[in-house]
Amino acid sequence: MCLGLLWGGNLCSKCAVAMNQTLTEDQLTTAIRDPQLRRWALVNGKLYREYQFASFVEAFSFMTAVALHAEAMNHHPEWTNVYSRVNVSLSTHDVQGITELDVQLARHIEKQAAGRTLG
């Protein structure tokens, strides 16, 4: 991973190109077999996950934490929030597919959800 992304900065040109290449089916299968991403699924060409929280405040707090990181990455989720439920879909619109950026954002989202979700 490019250190620029780790520090919330810009990607180097080599990493920027690699991050915007659509992942192959094998790469996607490998990604969602990762224990950290085991609850993510491929739905309509996107990485998808539903989260359930104890309350609206918990759900919104989670979304705020994710939003700050997503903004630093300049890579934003497609999501909905209804009371204590948050549905997240990830894809890279520029390439109309799933890229390494989506996988990395999914991993970060999982870290933010750890200990906050029900079940």
Side-chain angles (χ1 to χ4, degrees):
M1 176 192 302
C2 179
L3 292 179
L5 187 59
L6 283 173
W7 296 328
N10 296 322
L11 294 171
C12 67
S13 59
K14 181 180 176 184
C15 291
V17 169
M19 292 289 188
N20 283 316
Q21 292 179 344
T22 303
L23 297 179
T24 66
E25 193 170 322
D26 287 342
Q27 289 170 318
L28 286 170
T29 300
T30 299
I32 61 174
R33 284 185 181 158
D34 178 333
Q36 188 179 15
L37 301 180
R38 71 184 185 279
R39 293 185 179 176
W40 288 79
L42 297 173
V43 177
N44 297 323
K46 299 176 183 181
L47 287 175
Y48 175 81
R49 171 93 154 84
E50 182 176 310
Y51 296 92
Q52 184 69 44
F53 298 89
S55 67
F56 172 76
V57 171
E58 285 294 319
F60 198 83
S61 172
F62 161 79
M63 292 177 74
T64 301
V66 170
L68 293 171
H69 185 79
E71 183 66 16
M73 287 179 71
N74 193 29
H75 193 66
H76 306 92
E78 178 182 321
W79 54 10
T80 59
N81 167 234
V82 177
Y83 185 60
S84 60
R85 187 182 72 238
V86 176
N87 297 322
V88 182
S89 294
L90 300 175
S91 67
T92 302
H93 302 282
D94 294 346
V95 297
Q96 298 180 358
I98 299 169
T99 67
E100 184 60 30
L101 278 173
D102 300 302
V103 173
Q104 288 185 13
L105 184 52
R107 285 188 178 112
H108 177 77
I109 291 170
E110 284 300 304
K111 287 178 187 173
Q112 289 298 321
R116 295 183 187 207
T117 59
L118 300 176

